[in-house]
Amino acid sequence: MPTNHTPNYNLNQWSRDDRILMDDFNADNAKIDAALGVHAAELAKLPFCGNCQIYTADYKGTGECGETHPNTLSFPKKPVWITIFAPDGRSQFNIFPNDITYGFSTASRDYKVCITWKGNTVSWYANEVFVQMNYDYYTYHVIAFCPMD
């Protein structure tokens, strides 16, 4: 019979003078198996955890912006997150897998961004070239994270 037990799962800890029984080992294995089963079930509830596929691409800016001049990118699978970097790496634009229109303001200007999805293709536009990440002749770098499923 063990003298001590671990603090988290109450597993057996034997001292030199304790008698070691097979039943004690089997009980510990059952506790460990149950804890691992709970852990696996919790991980299964998290849809975007674990491995992902990473896709990279580049696109050349056109200098245009607005609803009649959207940017469009297509992927083999619908990403859970896309980030686009300007050539200097100092600015970025993040896109998530849902349609959204939002605005933001600075002290001198209001901006609008609209993102739409059709399957694995995303389109976006803004009311300013720099917000849309579409300066003429700039090469923008894209990283997309897609689920492995």
Side-chain angles (χ1 to χ4, degrees):
M1 179 70 61
T3 304
N4 299 307
H5 295 88
T6 62
N8 295 314
Y9 292 100
N10 201 32
L11 301 175
N12 295 307
Q13 297 276 283
W14 288 270
S15 298
R16 278 195 189 275
D17 298 331
D18 292 339
R19 185 169 177 214
I20 298 173
L21 299 173
M22 181 175 56
D23 292 344
D24 295 329
F25 280 103
N26 290 341
D28 283 352
N29 285 337
K31 290 175 188 175
I32 292 168
D33 186 69
L36 289 173
V38 168
H39 180 69
E42 290 300 313
L43 286 177
K45 293 178 188 177
L46 303 172
F48 301 123
C49 283
N51 292 331
C52 64
Q53 291 179 320
I54 300 173
Y55 295 95
T56 60
D58 294 325
Y59 69 88
K60 187 81 81 177
T62 64
E64 298 176 309
C65 66
E67 190 171 358
T68 58
H69 302 287
N71 290 43
T72 301
L73 293 170
S74 294
F75 300 92
K77 295 180 180 180
K78 186 174 184 179
V80 296
W81 176 34
I82 301 167
T83 189
I84 301 169
F85 295 93
D88 61 8
R90 292 186 301 166
S91 59
Q92 72 182 56
F93 181 63
N94 293 295
I95 299 174
F96 296 97
N98 53 321
D99 293 352
I100 186 170
T101 298
Y102 65 93
F104 64 96
S105 299
T106 65
S108 60
R109 181 78 197 220
D110 293 329
Y111 301 99
K112 176 185 174 185
V113 178
C114 181
I115 300 168
T116 56
W117 284 91
K118 287 187 182 170
N120 300 340
T121 299
V122 64
S123 297
W124 71 96
Y125 67 86
N127 60 338
E128 291 288 338
V129 171
F130 76 93
V131 176
Q132 189 168 318
M133 301 289 274
N134 205 28
Y135 274 121
D136 198 17
Y137 300 110
Y138 276 28
T139 299
Y140 293 90
H141 308 288
V142 179
I143 302 172
F145 298 87
C146 299
M148 284 295 287
D149 57 40

